[in-house]
Amino acid sequence: MVIPVHDVNPARRTPWVTYALILANVLVFLFTPGMTGSVTGGGGLAQMCHLQAFLDHYAAVPQELLQHRLPRLVPTGATGVGPQGPGCVIGPPDYGKSPELSVLTAMFLHGGWLHLLGNMLFLWIFGNNVEDRMGHLRYLLFYGVCGYAATYGFALLNADSTAPLLGASGAIAGVLGAYLVLYPKARVWVLVPFLIFLPLRLPAWIVLGFWFVLQAVYSSGGAVSDAGTVAYVAHVVGFLAGMLIAWPLRPGTPPPPEPRGLLFGRRARPGW
């Protein structure tokens, strides 16, 4: 797996929407009840139960999306002692929930700080140029459409799943798909783990194409043991949706500039 750190593709305008999305995701994460433990490594049973109830309320659940109704029993956020020992209490839902709206709220929820930082890194690197090409409002709409497409695509293939689906990965996968279509020859600095992290500058079509192939393989469950814990199918659907939406814009997209003498996007000193 390669880790992108910078692309050599300056934007013409400030990517205010990308900045706002990153800020919103970080703030929601910090204020998510029970999420402090995922950052500090602490947290007990009460915190876990509170977080479970919160995610069940605001995250997207495939079965709810397709059946348009809430289950009879959901986590209440309370703790109790049952036949199996201490655990989280379940009971009838005491809230109203729109499954369709939960897709939107789920796009700003994350299951841990690594999940959040990984998503925000990709959005930071690739989102500015897609926003620059589409314009602020169209980019925001595009982001939402890709997120919805990814979530419903996953739900259709996992209709019986009651596990909460959360994260901006599907929408950001759409951004990556659009970037691949619009700027396939843009150069991207990546770190390749090989004993040490080796810095390489590769064309976007290799970096993003390799990322997509990995997601497609992982979605089959054939390459990793925990494929069921990550919504790789949502990544694949979001990526393809982003490519399809961005394709009509491709003819009018100027090629990215290739400034010389750059090291990780900065002007190198003489002799480098």
Side-chain angles (χ1 to χ4, degrees):
M1 182 64 179
V2 298
I3 304 173
V5 293
H6 182 75
D7 67 330
V8 186
N9 191 5
R12 299 167 298 174
R13 60 185 121 189
T14 304
W16 294 116
V17 174
T18 296
Y19 291 164
L21 288 171
I22 293 174
L23 178 61
N25 276 278
V26 172
L27 290 177
V28 169
F29 178 79
L30 293 177
F31 286 98
T32 297
M35 194 55 71
T36 305
S38 71
V39 180
T40 63
L45 177 62
Q47 189 177 44
M48 183 191 71
C49 293
H50 196 187
L51 175 61
Q52 185 179 354
F54 180 86
L55 295 181
D56 195 80
H57 186 176
Y58 291 103
V61 178
Q63 192 176 82
E64 295 175 3
L65 291 176
L66 300 182
Q67 297 182 4
H68 302 283
R69 59 183 176 84
L70 295 179
R72 290 191 309 106
L73 299 175
V74 297
T76 64
T79 60
V81 179
Q84 305 299 325
C88 301
V89 176
I90 61 173
D94 60 354
Y95 54 81
K97 178 180 180 181
S98 167
E100 294 79 12
L101 185 59
S102 71
V103 178
L104 178 61
T105 56
M107 289 165 57
F108 293 90
L109 300 174
H110 289 84
W113 64 272
L114 285 178
H115 186 200
L116 171 73
L117 293 180
N119 277 344
M120 295 306 101
L121 174 65
F122 276 81
L123 183 58
W124 173 270
I125 294 172
F126 300 106
N128 62 332
N129 294 107
V130 178
E131 180 179 351
D132 186 42
R133 181 64 184 88
M134 293 184 173
H136 303 308
L137 186 59
R138 285 199 297 176
Y139 172 73
L140 181 60
L141 180 62
F142 162 82
Y143 184 90
V145 168
C146 289
Y148 267 81
T151 301
Y152 272 96
F154 179 86
L156 288 172
L157 295 174
N158 298 271
D160 296 328
S161 174
T162 58
L165 184 65
L166 61 151
S169 306
I172 295 173
V175 173
L176 303 185
Y179 193 101
L180 177 61
V181 166
L182 298 175
Y183 303 102
K185 297 181 180 179
R187 299 290 174 168
V188 180
W189 281 103
V190 299
L191 297 177
V192 180
F194 184 74
L195 299 181
I196 61 173
F197 284 100
L198 299 177
L200 295 176
R201 194 176 77 158
L202 302 173
W205 69 267
I206 291 181
V207 176
L208 299 180
F210 180 67
W211 182 88
F212 176 75
V213 169
L214 281 181
Q215 306 309 301
V217 172
Y218 289 168
S219 68
S220 69
V224 290
S225 60
D226 62 343
T229 65
V230 179
Y232 292 111
V233 171
H235 301 174
V236 172
V237 175
F239 192 92
L240 294 175
M243 291 186 68
L244 290 173
I245 295 172
W247 194 265
L249 300 175
R250 189 171 183 268
T253 301
E258 277 286 352
R260 296 182 178 180
L262 291 184
L263 183 66
F264 283 93
R266 300 175 182 271
R267 184 67 59 183
R269 295 196 299 268
W272 282 49

